[in-house]
Amino acid sequence: MTSTAAKQNPESWSTLFAAHLEAVKKRSAVALSATGYDALLVHAGTPPLLFQDDHHLPFKVQAPFKVWTPLTDAPDSFVYFVPGRKPLLLLHAPVDYWHKSPELPRTYWSDAFDIVSCPDRAAARGALPKDMARTAFIGEPFGELVSWGVGSINPEHLMAQLDYSRAAKTPYEVAALLEANVLGARGHAAAEKAFRAGGSEFDIGLAFMAACGLRERELPYNPIIALNEGGAVLHYQVQMREKPARFHSLLIDAGAEFAGYASDITRTHSFDNAEFAALIKRFDELQLKLCAQVRVGADWRDIHQSSYRAISEFLREADVISASADEAVDTALTSVFYPHGIGHLLGLQVHDVGGRQRDPAGGEIERPYNHPFLRLTRKLEDGCVVTVEPGFYFIDQLLAEARAKPIGQKINWARVEQLKPFGGIRIEDNVVARVGTHENLTRMAFSS
Ligand code: GLY
Ligand code: MN
Ligand code: MN
């Protein structure tokens, strides 16, 4: 936990965490009993070694572990849970003079666990019961796990129950997601400043991280920092050191992490072009209308279809297409410019689990025809946190394909050429579903 919020108000964080842990214990107990296990052993994960090297890849803790504890930097630790008992945290603390060993945590969440320091895996095994035949292990299996005698590794039905339950966030999780948005909004403000000062993509990335107070490996995903045409590459991974000859636009999709929870925020800026700035403003209004559709009971597929229609109208108004909005929807012309889903579940993972699951037992809810990239098809429950991220882009590959088809005749190619140097526009907020309403964590963070 890096933010000052937890330091400023440790009592409220410990109260929130205690209620969160009770909820996690309760749903885990229900899932264990429904699937015939007595105990859960969850691994934090371990970073792989590079080939022929003694360096590890950066450690990323596994989400099923961090739902129990915000311990994001203690690889090879375990949580062991038996319903009705205090959970046990086996903290991996190697006796090793090359590295700094983790210290026993003394913070807002640590009293909720019995904590045992383990120098190695053998010590962790020794701290667990001899008979683990009715224990379910969750995590990436490691070599000696076969000799531990666990009943099952990542059993499908248990995982389905636990994954499904992660969609609706506890008040602690929503508070952590708001903090992640506060950090992310700080990063975005600094990034915009670096852009206006004529920084390269690399400079803008450094400004983002410095303002968040996070190292690159502490970010929830690789930031997408795209100047000009780069904005048309959906997951643009380059950070150019060179500055472009001319600055047109910045599309930045970058989030921060707090207590293991991610923000996922996109903003688009015009450098000095008033017409592109007006398009961004109009797109921002469209995005806010979509955010307003987030509420308990909403079917995410309907919100996606609504975004598809709204972007179709936008493209017509912006004179990018000559087809009516109805025709653009019917012929999937809009997909040339908007080839992704309106958003996804957000939480411990940027693309959080269980988005297309039919119910706690498993199964799948179909995506709508013609929308193969939608990551969420469920109805929203109270506390579900989603991203709302409409976008449109001038993507060479999709434009070339469209030019060869009848729909190509409905594209205003001169307008496309005029707008191509700007790459595209995406605006992305993190939104909580509530009964009859929503909370926009990102807008709250930007105005705090
Ligand atoms: N940052 C990845 C996404 O928006 O889904
Ligand atoms: Mn994003
Ligand atoms: Mn996203």
Side-chain angles (χ1 to χ4, degrees):
M1 170 138 330
T2 49
S3 164
T4 49
K7 290 180 199 132
Q8 280 163 2
N9 201 350
E11 272 165 37
S12 74
W13 280 99
S14 65
T15 308
L16 281 168
F17 181 78
H20 165 75
L21 194 66
E22 279 313 307
V24 173
K25 286 183 344 194
K26 196 168 158 194
R27 68 202 193 202
S28 301
V30 169
L32 285 167
S33 133
T35 51
Y37 298 97
D38 292 345
L40 201 59
L41 180 64
V42 190
H43 192 209
T46 195
L49 273 171
L50 285 167
F51 182 59
Q52 290 191 318
D53 204 333
D54 60 356
H55 285 273
H56 291 92
L57 290 176
F59 175 61
K60 285 280 178 190
V61 62
Q62 292 169 8
F65 178 87
K66 62 178 173 167
V67 76
W68 287 89
T69 154
L71 193 58
T72 55
D73 56 358
D76 238 351
S77 297
F78 296 86
V79 165
Y80 177 69
F81 170 64
V82 179
R85 287 201 224 149
K86 199 171 184 179
L88 174 65
L89 171 62
L90 302 174
L91 180 73
H92 181 222
V95 180
D96 165 359
Y97 56 75
W98 296 100
H99 302 102
K100 179 158 170 24
S101 217
E103 282 158 21
L104 283 187
R106 286 277 158 262
T107 179
Y108 68 94
W109 57 266
S110 46
D111 285 348
F113 292 85
D114 286 328
I115 304 179
V116 175
S117 188
C118 301
D120 52 31
R121 280 208 192 124
R125 179 65 188 93
L128 291 164
K130 274 202 172 60
D131 181 0
M132 299 231 283
R134 290 175 63 83
T135 293
F137 172 88
I138 296 182
E140 194 74 48
F142 46 85
E144 61 268 50
L145 185 63
V146 279
S147 68
W148 284 28
V150 295
S152 187
I153 297 171
N154 301 322
E156 191 183 330
H157 291 111
L158 177 67
M159 297 295 284
Q161 298 227 8
L162 296 176
D163 288 354
Y164 192 84
S165 68
R166 272 185 25 207
K169 269 59 182 180
T170 62
Y172 164 77
E173 292 180 298
V174 173
L177 285 159
L178 176 59
E179 282 297 311
N181 270 272
V182 168
L183 294 178
R186 265 183 223 156
H188 272 265
E192 184 184 355
K193 209 167 153 195
F195 166 62
R196 302 246 169 254
S200 66
E201 291 170 350
F202 184 73
D203 298 330
I204 295 167
L206 292 179
F208 176 83
M209 284 192 288
C212 292
L214 296 172
R215 306 158 71 178
E216 190 159 18
R217 58 185 281 183
E218 292 169 326
L219 299 178
Y221 59 94
N222 280 335
I224 297 164
I225 298 173
L227 289 171
N228 303 346
E229 297 92 337
V233 181
L234 296 186
H235 284 170
Y236 180 81
Q237 75 282 25
V238 185
Q239 283 190 16
M240 298 275 285
R241 264 80 166 172
E242 301 82 43
K243 299 176 184 188
R246 272 212 62 191
F247 284 83
H248 297 292
S249 59
L250 169 67
L251 189 156
I252 169 165
D253 180 343
E257 196 170 290
F258 180 85
Y261 290 86
S263 57
D264 180 7
I265 304 170
T266 309
R267 290 293 181 265
T268 309
H269 305 285
S270 171
F271 192 70
D272 57 7
N273 183 291
E275 194 185 1
F276 191 63
L279 287 179
I280 295 171
K281 185 166 180 296
R282 164 79 188 89
F283 207 73
D284 192 59
E285 290 159 11
L286 177 159
Q287 192 265 0
L288 282 173
K289 281 193 189 146
L290 294 168
C291 291
Q293 294 181 26
V294 173
R295 63 189 57 210
V296 171
D299 186 322
W300 194 249
R301 293 170 300 180
D302 293 341
I303 297 183
H304 176 74
Q305 301 279 24
S306 173
S307 74
Y308 200 80
R309 164 118 214 141
I311 292 175
S312 305
E313 284 164 6
F314 176 90
L315 292 170
R316 178 75 198 86
E317 278 168 32
D319 200 24
V320 174
I321 58 173
S322 59
S324 68
D326 280 343
E327 194 184 353
V329 171
D330 292 346
T331 59
L333 170 60
T334 305
S335 300
V336 175
F337 302 94
Y338 174 37
H340 62 73
I342 183 59
H344 48 85
L345 291 171
L346 176 73
L348 292 163
Q349 290 167 227
V350 178
H351 298 150
D352 219 354
V353 290
R356 295 198 293 122
Q357 210 172 310
R358 180 163 299 284
D359 56 40
E364 193 176 298
I365 304 173
E366 297 268 299
R367 294 172 164 126
Y369 175 70
N370 259 346
H371 298 274
F373 301 114
L374 197 57
R375 297 176 193 269
L376 172 58
T377 48
R378 274 167 73 169
K379 284 197 175 159
L380 302 180
E381 297 161 43
D382 191 26
C384 276
V385 178
V386 292
T387 65
V388 178
E389 49 179 306
F392 77 95
Y393 318 85
F394 300 99
I395 302 171
D396 283 330
Q397 178 194 339
L398 299 184
L399 289 168
E401 285 167 18
R403 206 187 264 274
K405 293 183 192 161
I407 52 168
Q409 290 165 20
K410 301 288 177 162
I411 293 173
N412 181 348
W413 292 100
R415 182 71 164 149
V416 167
E417 282 311 308
Q418 184 204 343
L419 290 174
K420 250 177 129 231
F422 297 92
I425 297 178
R426 180 164 68 254
I427 297 172
E428 177 176 25
D429 289 345
N430 306 162
V431 181
V432 193
R434 295 297 186 203
V435 178
T437 188
H438 71 282
E439 291 159 9
N440 188 325
L441 301 179
T442 311
R443 303 280 168 156
M444 285 157 72
F446 272 106
S447 57
S448 69

